[in-house]
């Protein structure tokens, strides 16, 4: 059969285009929203070293585990944790049906929108609000409530949806690590089922790779179908020293990469970087009041004090949001 010359030329052109496209992809910047600072160079250098079989720091894919805090690390956390804002909205709905649910100062302040009093109530007050609003539902019902809230609720200062207030540079980092054979886990002080409701859609992290705080629950087979029912009370708080314990119980391997933003993540970074072989600890430092929020040592949410003092001596990367990030949000700057 005779091959037409035009067809041969077209095929050659297409092949050349594919080669060029592949070469471009290979050279593409894996972290385009990170400025070309030392932070980006250290991240890329670490990933290249542990994934290169010829490197003395090579790590097998099975051991390439990276853990990330959520609030303040993957998405914003001001004026207060977004899960608490969800709980407050739900509390107001509950109080509309039954005002007697507002039986404490923290609950009354939350329903009134008094964020200063809610924040001042500390962890105890926040847990009380969460316990009052997260029980009485099955896991499936609760996660459906979270997704419905995320579809419509807006941040009181930015006007953005909460799912839009994720950090574009961190989305890129998650993707980059996965492309290089890492398994990425979320290890958060936030509620397990709250984060599972959106983690796969927003971060491409499946629910089985989410570790979080858990409330009391029970197996209920009395209804038309068995369910896991959420009850009042806190079973486990995944914060501080609880994070290494949860990682050991759920993951079963010490990570080689850990990222956080507050002193609640200190022990997770400490335990991760204390292991043998190449290790990477990273702290997101909120320095950008113009595009996000600026805070560290003061405040009730996302306090960074010890981590700020010890990061350099421990070899942890302190990411300066204002200096190291070209943009903050997926949409906009």
């Amino acid at each position: 059969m005779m091959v037409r010359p035009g067809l041969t030329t077209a095929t050659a052109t297409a092949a050349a285009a594919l080669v060029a496209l592949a070469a471009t992809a290979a050279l593409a910047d894996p972290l385009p929203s990170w400025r070309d600072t030392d932070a980006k160079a250290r991240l890329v250098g670490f990933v290249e070293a542990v994934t290169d079989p010829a490197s003395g720091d090579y790590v097998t894919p099975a051991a390439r585990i990276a853990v990330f805090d959520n609030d303040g690390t993957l998405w914003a956390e001001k004026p207060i944790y977004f899960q608490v804002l969800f709980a407050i909205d739900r509390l107001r709905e509950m109080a509309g049906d039954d005002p007697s649910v507002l039986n404490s100062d923290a609950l009354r302040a939350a329903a009134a929108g008094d964020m200063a009093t809610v924040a001042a109530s500390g962890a105890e007050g926040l847990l009380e609000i969460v316990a009052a609003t997260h029980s009485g539902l099955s896991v499936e019902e609760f996660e459906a409530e979270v997704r419905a809230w995320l579809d419509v609720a807006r941040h009181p200062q930015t006007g953005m949806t909460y799912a839009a207030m994720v950090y574009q540079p961190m989305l890129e980092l998650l993707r980059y690590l996965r492309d290089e054979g890492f398994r990425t886990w979320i290890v958060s002080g936030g509620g397990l089922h709250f984060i599972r409701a959106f983690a796969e859609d927003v971060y491409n992290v499946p629910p089985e790779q989410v570790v979080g705080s858990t409330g009391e629950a029970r197996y209920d087979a009395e209804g038309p179908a068995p369910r896991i029912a959420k009850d009042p009370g806190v079973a486990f708080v995944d914060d501080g020293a609880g994070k290494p314990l949860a990682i050991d119980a759920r993951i079963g391997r010490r990570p080689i990469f850990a990222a956080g933003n507050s002193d609640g993540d200190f022990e997770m970074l400490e335990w991760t970087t204390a292991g043998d072989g190449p290790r990477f600890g990273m702290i997101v430092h909120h320095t950008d009041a113009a595009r996000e929020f600026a805070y560290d040592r003061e405040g009730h949410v996302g306090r960074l004090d010890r981590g700020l003092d010890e990061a350099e001596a421990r070899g942890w990367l302190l990411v300066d949001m204002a200096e190291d990030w070209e943009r903050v949000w997926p949409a906009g700057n």
Side-chain angles (χ1 to χ4, degrees), residues 96-110:
D97 295 331
D98 180 9
S100 68
V101 301
L102 305 179
N103 54 18
S104 75
D105 290 342
L107 293 175
R108 285 188 287 271

Side-chain angles (χ1 to χ4, degrees), residues 9-79:
T9 302
T11 302
T13 301
L18 288 173
V19 170
L21 183 62
T24 301
L27 295 173
D29 185 350
L31 302 173
S33 296
W34 292 71
R35 293 189 175 125
D36 291 327
T37 62
D38 178 65
K40 182 175 181 176
R42 285 179 61 180
L43 283 166
V44 173
F46 174 79
V47 173
E48 289 181 344
V50 299
T51 58
D52 180 2
S55 167
D57 288 330
Y58 177 71
V59 176
T60 61
R64 291 180 207 159
I65 293 172
V67 292
F68 290 79
D69 171 58
N70 184 53
D71 297 300
T73 301
L74 297 180
W75 73 355
E77 62 181 357
K78 293 290 184 177

Side-chain angles (χ1 to χ4, degrees), residues 11-328:
T11 302
T13 301
L18 288 173
V19 170
L21 183 62
T24 301
L27 295 173
D29 185 350
L31 302 173
S33 296
W34 292 71
R35 293 189 175 125
D36 291 327
T37 62
D38 178 65
K40 182 175 181 176
R42 285 179 61 180
L43 283 166
V44 173
F46 174 79
V47 173
E48 289 181 344
V50 299
T51 58
D52 180 2
S55 167
D57 288 330
Y58 177 71
V59 176
T60 61
R64 291 180 207 159
I65 293 172
V67 292
F68 290 79
D69 171 58
N70 184 53
D71 297 300
T73 301
L74 297 180
W75 73 355
E77 62 181 357
K78 293 290 184 177
I80 203 164
Y81 302 125
F82 293 172
Q83 183 172 357
V84 176
L85 295 175
F86 161 76
I88 289 171
D89 282 350
R90 180 162 166 75
L91 179 65
R92 287 172 176 154
E93 290 183 8
M94 293 169 62
D97 295 331
D98 180 9
S100 68
V101 301
L102 305 179
N103 54 18
S104 75
D105 290 342
L107 293 175
R108 285 188 287 271
D114 182 356
M115 291 297 100
T117 300
V118 170
S121 68
E124 183 177 344
L126 299 182
L127 290 173
E128 183 179 10
I129 295 166
V130 168
T133 57
H134 288 35
S135 59
L137 300 171
S138 70
V139 167
E140 291 82 4
E141 290 168 340
F142 175 78
E143 292 184 356
E145 292 257 359
V146 174
R147 286 190 287 270
W149 180 79
L150 287 172
D151 283 342
V152 299
R154 297 276 173 167
H155 189 273
Q157 291 165 261
T158 68
M160 299 164 64
T161 64
Y162 294 99
M165 292 184 67
V166 296
Y167 303 135
Q168 178 63 24
M170 299 303 287
L171 295 178
E172 292 168 2
L173 181 56
L174 286 168
R175 183 177 63 246
Y176 176 40
L177 291 172
R178 286 192 292 263
D179 287 346
E180 296 298 329
F182 280 77
R183 284 175 289 162
T184 55
W185 290 69
I186 295 174
V187 180
S188 174
L192 175 69
H193 297 121
F194 181 82
I195 300 170
R196 280 181 173 175
F198 63 85
E200 191 157 28
D201 288 339
V202 173
Y203 304 131
N204 202 23
V205 174
E208 64 269 21
Q209 288 175 214
V210 174
V211 180
S213 298
T214 55
E216 297 291 348
R218 59 191 164 83
Y219 180 70
D220 179 8
E222 297 300 319
R227 66 179 196 153
I228 304 298
K230 295 175 70 67
D231 287 340
V234 176
F236 178 76
V237 176
D238 186 36
D239 196 42
K243 290 197 172 189
L245 295 175
I247 292 168
D248 178 66
R250 287 287 311 280
I251 302 176
R253 287 180 183 266
R254 192 190 299 243
I256 67 167
F257 184 105
N261 78 293
S262 74
D263 283 354
D265 305 310
F266 190 94
E267 288 85 351
M268 179 172 75
L269 270 71
E270 180 179 53
W271 185 64
T272 295
T273 57
D276 295 332
R279 304 275 158 171
F280 201 99
M282 180 183 122
I283 295 174
V284 175
H285 188 195
H286 293 262
T287 58
D288 199 330
R291 296 184 297 178
E292 201 240 7
F293 308 97
Y295 59 98
D296 44 44
R297 298 185 190 277
E298 302 297 328
H300 302 283
V301 173
R303 182 175 179 177
L304 178 65
D305 195 3
R306 185 182 178 191
L308 199 59
D309 290 337
E310 299 186 25
E312 183 177 359
R314 290 175 177 270
W316 299 345
L317 172 63
L318 195 62
V319 174
D320 185 319
M321 288 178 64
E323 297 296 326
D324 295 325
W325 287 1
E326 185 67 33
R327 65 173 176 160
V328 174

